[in-house]
Amino acid sequence: MKSSIPTETDLVLIGGGHSHAIAIRKFAMNPIPGVRLTLITDVYHTPYSGMLPGYVAGLYNFDQCHIDLRPLAKFAGARIFVDRAIGLDLEKNQVLCANRPPVNFDLLSIDIGSTPASLTVPGATEYAIAVKPISKFLTYWHHITTMVSESPTQKMRIGIVGGGAGGVELAFAVESHLHQIYRNAKQPTDNLSLHLFQRATRLLPE
Ligand SMILES: Cc1cc2nc3c(=O)[nH]c(=O)nc-3n(C[C@H](O)[C@H](O)[C@H](O)COP(=O)(O)OP(=O)(O)OC[C@H]3O[C@@H](n4cnc5c(N)ncnc54)[C@H](O)[C@@H]3O)c2cc1C
């Protein structure tokens, strides 16, 4: 619904991940008159990471574990710009975007999540796939499942770095899905060797 009250404050959110998705929902349920909400996000569908291992395991489909930000923004009467924020002009109070004109703000919230500093680990850029951002990880994961489905007789070796909750859960999920593909293709599941690397002396230390 369009508000008849003129915009007094432009509240801009950069990043459409978990935090801002919740903020938009709360705003929709309790709008503030005179505040116009704008979301700048580089993806339409934001993955719900708690369900990511289940998606990797093949238990959920894409829609079940992703939030479509477009209806959510509509629900909140918010504008949505699908673009990447690349800078701020603090003199003019503007967000600079990769492909669209700058976006004015009075108030700004930046929540663009975390990305592992893989560049500091020798060889990581060449050989590793970071789990974050999740949307990028899922593109690689689809590539791996397609590769195994198309060549199930080939051996596959995968290493997962990090033995915390995320890494352990992901290891089970990767194994479960790939084993299923091997079983469907009547191939031995030991075509897959999975290695979990952990710095501490035990897995799941917390
Ligand atoms: C495998 C795994 C399982 C997890 N399971 C759980 C769980 O069960 N429970 C739990 O509480 N937490 C879990 N987490 C952690 C959880 O994902 C994070 O705590 C949460 O995502 C942080 O939310 P956020 O909004 O800060 O960032 P994110 O959800 O990462 O969102 C950031 C968003 O910003 C976008 N973005 C980045 N740069 C730009 C830019 N320049 N311009 C525009 N948009 C940009 C990204 O594409 C992304 O959509 C898990 C994480 C992983 C990896």
Side-chain angles (χ1 to χ4, degrees), residues 35-53:
V35 173
R36 178 168 66 173
L37 201 59
T38 303
L39 172 67
I40 302 173
T41 168
D42 58 355
V43 290
Y44 276 128
H45 293 95
T46 199
Y48 173 55
S49 63
M51 289 170 81
L52 174 72

Side-chain angles (χ1 to χ4, degrees), residues 79-99:
R79 300 186 299 170
I80 180 165
F81 298 140
V82 178
D83 204 342
R84 204 170 168 73
I86 52 166
L88 298 177
D89 182 337
L90 295 180
E91 305 262 301
K92 295 186 188 156
N93 268 21
Q94 286 181 329
V95 180
L96 309 178
C97 298
N99 301 306

Side-chain angles (χ1 to χ4, degrees), residues 13-22 39-53 56 69 81-87 95-97 110-115 130-137 165-167 169-170:
L13 313 179
I14 305 179
H18 294 70
S19 316
H20 282 163
I22 293 169
L39 172 67
I40 302 173
T41 168
D42 58 355
V43 290
Y44 276 128
H45 293 95
T46 199
Y48 173 55
S49 63
M51 289 170 81
L52 174 72
V56 169
L69 293 169
F81 298 140
V82 178
D83 204 342
R84 204 170 168 73
I86 52 166
V95 180
L96 309 178
C97 298
I110 305 175
D111 197 321
I112 53 171
S114 56
T115 304
V131 175
K132 291 262 187 162
I134 292 176
S135 52
K136 217 168 178 182
F137 166 77
E169 210 181 0
L170 212 52

Side-chain angles (χ1 to χ4, degrees), residues 156-179:
M156 166 71 89
R157 251 190 315 174
I158 297 178
I160 293 177
V161 180
V168 170
E169 210 181 0
L170 212 52
F172 280 125
V174 165
E175 184 186 73
S176 168
H177 193 147
L178 296 185
H179 277 186

Side-chain angles (χ1 to χ4, degrees), residues 11 16-17 26 37 39 63-64 99 103 105 108 115 118-120 129 140 160 165 170 186:
L11 170 58
K26 295 254 178 198
L37 201 59
L39 172 67
D63 287 342
Q64 283 171 319
N99 301 306
V103 179
F105 65 84
L108 180 67
T115 304
S118 49
L119 288 176
T120 60
I129 301 161
Y140 285 112
I160 293 177
L170 212 52
K186 309 225 173 337

